[in-house]
Amino acid sequence: MENTSIHVTTEKLNLQACYDFVQDASCGGIALFVGTVRNLTKSKEVTLLDFSTYKPMAIKEMQKIADKALVDFDILKIAIHHAEGELQVGHIPVIIAVSSAHRKAAFDACQYAIDTLKETVPIWKKEHFVDGEVWVNAHP
């Protein structure tokens, strides 16, 4: 059984596809994290975000996060999908979906996945404002 779904894409992310992937009759809980492009950062109006990746490494690191989550938490499946390219306010740059028999494991694994993704995966974000732009998350 395939228990991980890892994607980095310029296509619109599909929340239903992530949900459908992790859904299983043995699971009593599904936790979802859906990151969205917000309209303000530090009181500055955001017009769009531009995500750049080193795709082969990003996929490899996201798979490591998923594999570790499967080992460290009592979960059945995990999906980690991230967008690349320009996204408008309200669009979705990241979806994490996790299923488990019980909610706590799903919540904990979901939080672990997003926190670790932001720390270790080579995805960079450029915020565009009305009066300029700035790179953020210039790591790893």
Side-chain angles (χ1 to χ4, degrees), residues 14-27:
N14 186 326
L15 181 57
Q16 189 64 51
C18 291
Y19 180 90
D20 290 347
F21 175 80
V22 300
Q23 196 281 328
D24 189 90
S26 69
C27 293

Side-chain angles (χ1 to χ4, degrees), residues 4 18 40-41 54 63 88 92-93 103 113 137:
T4 65
C18 291
L40 288 176
T41 295
Y54 174 44
Q63 185 65 57
Q88 303 295 321
I92 298 172
R103 69 182 176 270
N137 295 8

Side-chain angles (χ1 to χ4, degrees), residues 99-139:
S99 62
S100 62
H102 304 285
R103 69 182 176 270
K104 183 168 178 22
F107 280 129
D108 290 348
C110 194
Q111 181 167 5
Y112 161 78
I114 188 60
D115 290 348
T116 307
L117 181 147
K118 290 182 77 66
E119 292 173 8
T120 66
V121 178
I123 298 173
W124 300 276
K125 176 173 67 175
K126 184 188 283 188
E127 291 182 323
H128 292 258
F129 305 102
V130 174
D131 62 350
E133 58 192 42
V134 63
W135 283 101
V136 292
N137 295 8
H139 63 276

Side-chain angles (χ1 to χ4, degrees), residues 2 6 8 10 21-22 30 36 44 49 53-54 59 79-80 89 91 101 105 115 129-130 132 134 138:
E2 181 96 15
I6 307 299
V8 175
T10 57
F21 175 80
V22 300
I30 294 175
T36 58
K44 292 183 74 168
L49 297 182
T53 69
Y54 174 44
I59 290 169
I80 305 174
V89 171
H91 289 185
D115 290 348
F129 305 102
V130 174
V134 63

Side-chain angles (χ1 to χ4, degrees), residues 60-107:
K60 181 180 175 186
E61 290 300 312
M62 290 162 66
Q63 185 65 57
K64 284 169 46 176
I65 292 167
D67 292 343
K68 184 162 175 39
L70 287 165
V71 170
D72 291 356
F73 303 94
D74 189 16
I75 63 173
L76 181 67
K77 293 182 181 179
I78 182 169
I80 305 174
H81 293 193
H82 206 293
E84 58 183 351
E86 293 185 354
L87 298 175
Q88 303 295 321
V89 171
H91 289 185
I92 298 172
V94 61
I95 299 171
I96 297 176
V98 180
S99 62
S100 62
H102 304 285
R103 69 182 176 270
K104 183 168 178 22
F107 280 129

Side-chain angles (χ1 to χ4, degrees), residues 29-50:
I30 294 175
L32 296 165
F33 175 79
V34 179
T36 58
V37 177
R38 64 182 177 270
N39 64 355
L40 288 176
T41 295
K42 299 179 183 173
S43 301
K44 292 183 74 168
E45 184 180 346
V46 174
T47 58
L48 67 89
L49 297 182
D50 187 0

